[in-house]
């Protein structure tokens, strides 16, 4: 029977999984060693279509910091990461940016957006005040 | 001279959580002092995700995690000073600080919370042989250059040390177009979380050399090559196992040390193992009214644990200001023995325990199928089974003081016992 040992990377616990091909089960695989349901999903996805959340930065102007951190709003197929990086590296944004704001919509047709992972204003600290106390 | 009830030194995750929790426990007059140009600390450069799973039950990046606490702090109206460097803390809780707008500041606090975090060990700390060219950086410095300042730091990289920052930078440099030739680790096991080995090295086919170290750095102006070699059980390089990599950058991820220059100036007692202050159940140091939390006490694996620990410090600092912390009472010593390198807190005063105390500890080696055994005055009071323990993964045990009737104990010890012994 086809089986693979892997470490679950959904969360920092790092459960040691055994994913076994099993025609009789609903998903085609059975997963052992996971402490939560997400571990099971991870094990099966890793066998069929491995995905990752991509985090990187884009160029930003108008702030004291030179890069805006961004992330994909959900996992994208692992084999698309290199291509996604090329697209993201072409992007330049300007302040103000709010956390969660979409920077690139539906990257590579994955249905996943690239979003800002922090707010950035001309002076980021004053920006917070304006935004949250006004 | 200005007066505050509580002054928090450090505006990273520890300082933010401590200040917020102090305010929630009724203290109004709080000041957070941060030396960087914004709040959030090192989280701002940790753009990868995986933060917050325990606190928020979702996966956040470092800046996202920081932003939630910064918002809360600002909405609460807690005062903070940026670009402000604390020069000295006295045992009478007087703080001397300096910044470009106020000049020199003297601040008298009723309670102080130390939340300065930690710093990276450098090339000097581990005495790497070879020439002294540019291109040798700590992984955290490289992270700041790449993720915040927007500078690429090299094209061909060797990384020494498999701590989490080293692993994360291996992936980050690869994504930005550099070639990571090798990650070398002195110990026979990695110092980082397993998930990082998988998604930072295996995903990108970056080789990890366990039981290897750097034995030479070449180059005059810039790094030109790095030689690594395998080490024996005594960690001495083995002749004939050398591998030479032509590269322009060497990143060091060789450990973190709590940043306690200020703690020393206040005469606070430090623990030789953690290099952080000796603290009690309330996260109070040996100086009355001076508390500490986060990586300044001991280096944590997850920011979630820093937040939890810092909330405890913030709550107890508030209690101290309100005169609700019992000081003249019994002290129980907490000790790690037989494989347990250290335990935080070091002291428990049972009179101040509401119900449970969370003990955080690290082991000295990788062990499989063991029990962590807690003894009070030599008698076993709790056993926790573990399939796998490793120095890179902190262990936690909750001790329920109401259940074990520990009021009469003089010493509580924690040790590793092999299953079946």
């Amino acid at each position: 029977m086809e089986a693979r040992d892997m470490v679950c990377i959904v969360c920092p616990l790092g459960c040691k999984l055994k994913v076994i091909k099993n025609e009789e089960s609903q998903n085609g695989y059975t997963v052992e060693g996971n402490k939560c349901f997400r571990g099971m999903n991870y094990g099966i996805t890793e066998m069929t279509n491995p995905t990752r959340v991509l985090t990187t930065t884009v160029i930003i102007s108008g702030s004291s910091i030179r890069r805006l951190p961004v992330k994909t709003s959900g996992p994208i197929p692992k084999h698309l990461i290199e291509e996604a990086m090329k697209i993201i590296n072409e992007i330049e944004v300007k302040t103000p940016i709010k956390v969660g704001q979409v920077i690139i919509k539906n990257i590579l047709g994955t249905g996943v957006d690239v979003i800002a992972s922090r707010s950035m204003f001309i002076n980021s600290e004053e920006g917070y005040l304006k935004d949250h106390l006004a | 001279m200005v007066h505050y009830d509580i002054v928090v030194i450090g505006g990273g995750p520890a300082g933010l959580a401590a200040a917020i929790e102090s305010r929630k426990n009724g203290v109004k007059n709080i000041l957070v002092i941060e030396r960087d140009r914004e709040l959030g600390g090192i989280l701002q450069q940790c753009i990868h995700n995986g933060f917050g799973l325990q606190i928020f039950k979702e996966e956040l990046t470092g800046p996202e995690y920081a932003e939630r606490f910064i918002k809360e702090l600002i909405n609460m109206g807690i005062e903070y000073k940026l670009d402000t460097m604390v020069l000295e803390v006295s045992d009478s809780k007087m703080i001397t600080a300096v910044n470009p707008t106020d000049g020199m500041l003297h601040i008298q606090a009723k309670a102080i919370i130390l939340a300065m975090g930690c710093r990276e060990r450098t090339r000097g700390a581990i005495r790497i042989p070879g020439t002294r060219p540019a291109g040798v950086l700590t992984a955290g410095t490289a992270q700041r250059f790449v993720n915040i300042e927007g500078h690429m730091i090299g094209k061909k990289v060797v990384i020494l040390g498999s701590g989490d920052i080293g692993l994360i930078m291996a992936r980050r440099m690869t994504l930005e177009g550099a070639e990571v030739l090798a990650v070398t680790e002195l110990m026979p096991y990695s110092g980082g979380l397993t998930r990082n080995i998988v998604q930072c090295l295996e995903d990108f086919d970056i080789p990890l050399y366990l039981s290897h170290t750097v034995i030479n750095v070449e180059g005059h102006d810039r790094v030109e090559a790095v030689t690594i070699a395998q080490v024996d059980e005594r960690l001495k390089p083995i002749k004939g196992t050398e591998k030479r990599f032509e590269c322009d950058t060497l990143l060091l991820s060789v450990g973190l040390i709590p940043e306690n220059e200020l703690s020393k100036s206040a005469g606070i007692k430090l623990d030789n193992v953690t290099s952080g202050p000796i603290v009690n159940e309330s996260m109070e140091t040996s100086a009355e009214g001076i508390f500490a939390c986060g990586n300044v006490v001991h280096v944590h694996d997850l920011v979630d644990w820093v937040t939890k620990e810092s909330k405890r410090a913030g709550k107890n600092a508030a209690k101290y200001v309100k005169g609700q912390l019992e000081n003249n009472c019994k002290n129980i010593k907490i000790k790690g023995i037989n494989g347990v390198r250290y335990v935080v807190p070091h002291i428990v005063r049972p009179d101040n325990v509401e119900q449970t105390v969370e003990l955080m500890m690290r082991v000295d080696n990788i062990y499989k199928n063991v029990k962590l055994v807690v003894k009070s005055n030599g008698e076993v009071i709790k056993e926790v089974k573990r399939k796998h323990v490793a120095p890179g993964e902190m262990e936690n045990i909750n001790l329920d003081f109401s259940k074990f009737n520990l009021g009469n104990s003089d010493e509580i010890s924690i040790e590793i016992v092999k299953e079946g012994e």
Side-chain angles (χ1 to χ4, degrees):
Chain A
M1 208 184 303
E2 194 192 337
R4 211 169 106 195
D5 292 310
M6 60 179 80
V7 178
C8 179
I9 58 168
V10 172
C11 85
L13 282 179
C15 294
K16 287 167 186 67
L17 307 181
K18 196 175 196 74
V19 188
I20 305 153
K21 198 164 173 69
N22 179 355
E23 304 295 347
E24 281 154 40
S25 96
Q26 203 184 341
N27 304 309
Y29 294 92
T30 44
V31 181
E32 291 168 11
N34 53 312
K35 292 196 186 101
C36 78
F37 72 94
R38 291 185 307 174
M40 188 185 76
N41 295 341
Y42 172 78
I44 295 168
T45 318
E46 198 65 8
M47 292 293 264
T48 50
N49 175 28
T51 58
R52 298 283 183 270
V53 168
L54 174 61
T55 61
T56 180
T57 59
V58 297
I59 300 173
I60 186 163
S61 55
S63 69
S64 57
I65 290 165
R66 309 262 292 277
R67 286 292 184 281
L68 172 75
V70 295
K71 68 171 189 180
T72 54
S73 58
I76 60 169
K78 211 163 95 173
H79 65 93
L80 290 179
I81 283 178
E82 213 181 314
E83 215 175 318
M85 277 301 287
K86 278 188 199 143
I87 295 170
I88 294 168
N89 283 343
E90 307 263 300
I91 298 290
E92 292 190 30
V93 295
K94 271 199 194 114
T95 53
I97 296 276
K98 272 197 80 173
V99 65
Q101 185 175 329
V102 175
I103 304 296
I104 304 171
K105 210 163 169 45
N106 187 17
I107 188 160
L108 294 166
T110 52
V112 171
D113 299 333
V114 175
I115 59 173
S117 69
R118 65 169 286 184
S119 304
M120 228 187 268
F121 301 91
I122 294 163
N123 173 328
S124 62
E125 290 304 319
E126 274 174 21
Y128 274 120
L129 283 173
K130 257 187 261 158
D131 204 41
H132 300 295
L133 297 180
Chain B
M1 168 115 79
V2 282
H3 293 259
Y4 283 91
D5 285 343
I6 296 180
V7 176
V8 181
I9 303 177
L16 293 170
I20 290 167
E21 202 63 18
S22 300
R23 167 58 60 91
K24 283 184 182 164
N25 283 275
V27 177
K28 289 230 159 61
N29 195 12
I30 303 170
L31 175 70
V32 178
I33 302 178
E34 167 59 45
R35 69 179 170 190
D36 206 343
R37 60 192 163 196
E38 60 179 347
L39 295 171
I42 298 304
L43 280 176
Q44 298 286 19
Q45 69 185 51
C46 299
I47 61 158
H48 53 281
N49 66 339
F51 300 93
L53 269 157
Q54 300 192 359
I55 300 284
F56 296 113
K57 311 288 174 219
E58 57 181 307
E59 214 167 344
L60 304 173
T61 66
E64 284 175 322
Y65 189 93
E67 191 158 328
R68 294 196 177 190
F69 286 91
I70 296 169
K71 264 187 198 172
E72 196 175 357
L73 182 103
I74 289 173
N75 283 331
M76 283 177 155
I78 296 173
E79 279 181 62
Y80 59 93
K81 278 186 188 295
L82 301 175
D83 268 325
T84 306
M85 186 75 192
V86 174
L87 304 175
E88 199 185 56
V89 176
S90 79
D91 54 3
S92 59
K93 287 166 279 188
M94 239 284 273
I95 293 165
T96 311
V98 65
N99 73 25
T101 40
D102 302 301
M104 187 86 110
L105 281 160
H106 294 286
I107 305 163
Q108 180 65 56
K110 286 184 190 158
I112 292 174
I113 301 176
L114 304 172
M116 294 90 73
C118 56
R119 61 180 173 219
E120 295 181 281
R121 294 213 297 160
T122 59
R123 179 173 181 177
I126 53 167
R127 293 184 282 271
I128 299 174
T131 55
R132 310 247 150 216
V136 182
L137 296 93
T138 62
T141 303
Q143 192 176 45
R144 187 179 175 109
F145 277 138
V146 174
N147 293 347
I148 292 186
E149 318 289 351
H151 301 298
M152 190 56 177
I153 48 144
K155 292 193 181 96
K156 287 185 136 195
V157 187
V158 169
I159 299 177
L160 174 59
S162 62
D164 289 313
I165 318 168
L167 298 174
I168 280 157
M169 280 313 288
R171 171 176 62 186
R172 189 77 192 108
M173 293 302 289
T174 312
L175 283 175
E176 289 297 343
E179 192 186 349
V180 180
L181 304 167
V183 175
T184 67
E185 169 60 55
L186 180 68
M187 304 310 286
Y189 48 84
S190 161
L193 297 170
T194 330
R195 71 182 318 240
N196 285 331
I197 302 276
V198 175
Q199 56 180 355
C200 297
L201 298 189
E202 289 173 14
D203 270 8
F204 299 97
D205 297 321
I206 298 168
L208 171 62
Y209 295 93
L210 294 174
S211 296
H212 276 74
T213 193
V214 169
I215 58 158
N216 196 18
V217 176
E218 295 168 52
H220 185 260
D221 295 327
R222 177 83 195 187
V223 173
E224 282 163 19
V226 166
T227 307
I228 69 167
Q230 199 180 335
V231 296
D232 61 21
E233 306 87 67
R234 284 165 37 247
L235 306 179
K236 288 260 183 282
I238 303 170
K239 271 225 165 92
T241 62
E242 298 86 357
K243 281 191 184 66
R244 185 170 173 275
F245 296 97
E246 283 183 13
C247 59
D248 57 21
T249 304
L250 173 65
L251 293 189
L252 305 175
S253 173
V254 292
L256 302 164
I257 314 165
E259 183 148 340
N260 276 298
E261 301 311 313
L262 292 175
S263 316
K264 282 180 202 158
S265 78
I268 288 166
K269 279 188 202 145
L270 301 185
D271 175 344
N272 288 335
V273 180
T274 59
S275 310
I278 290 172
V279 291
N280 62 30
E281 78 299 322
S282 305
M283 300 309 294
E284 190 182 17
T285 66
S286 63
E288 198 197 302
I290 302 184
F291 298 76
C293 55
N295 282 358
V296 80
V297 179
H298 57 132
V299 178
H300 297 59
D301 307 339
L302 302 180
V303 71
D304 302 71
W305 293 341
V306 168
T307 300
K308 267 174 93 179
E309 183 183 283
S310 306
K311 281 183 173 174
R312 204 193 308 162
K315 187 180 176 183
N316 285 301
K319 271 190 175 174
Y320 175 82
V321 168
K322 293 186 281 182
Q324 295 167 353
L325 217 51
E326 189 58 57
N327 198 16
N328 295 318
C329 58
K330 189 180 170 71
N331 282 358
I332 305 175
K333 273 195 189 130
I334 316 283
K335 271 171 68 178
I337 51 171
N338 299 337
V340 175
R341 278 189 71 221
Y342 75 79
V343 186
V344 169
H346 307 76
I347 297 162
V348 171
R349 299 171 301 182
D351 291 9
N352 288 317
V353 177
E354 278 170 14
Q355 194 184 1
T356 62
V357 174
E358 187 176 15
L359 304 174
M360 291 166 275
M361 67 207 72
R362 261 180 218 284
V363 298
D364 63 359
N365 209 331
I366 288 185
Y367 299 95
K368 286 193 190 327
N369 298 320
V370 291
K371 291 183 287 192
L372 289 164
V373 178
V374 187
K375 288 180 182 167
S376 162
N377 287 348
E379 267 182 57
V380 177
I381 54 166
K382 191 168 181 170
E383 291 185 346
V384 190
K385 283 185 185 178
R386 288 280 187 273
K387 271 193 174 157
H388 175 92
V389 291
E393 289 170 28
M394 199 163 79
E395 297 293 332
N396 298 35
I397 294 178
N398 263 316
L399 214 50
D400 188 336
F401 270 65
S402 62
K403 197 168 142 198
F404 296 117
N405 187 24
L406 291 170
N408 298 322
S409 181
D410 300 307
E411 187 179 284
I412 292 173
S413 68
I414 304 172
E415 62 191 293
I416 288 181
V417 178
K418 289 221 172 81
E419 198 76 90
E421 273 176 30

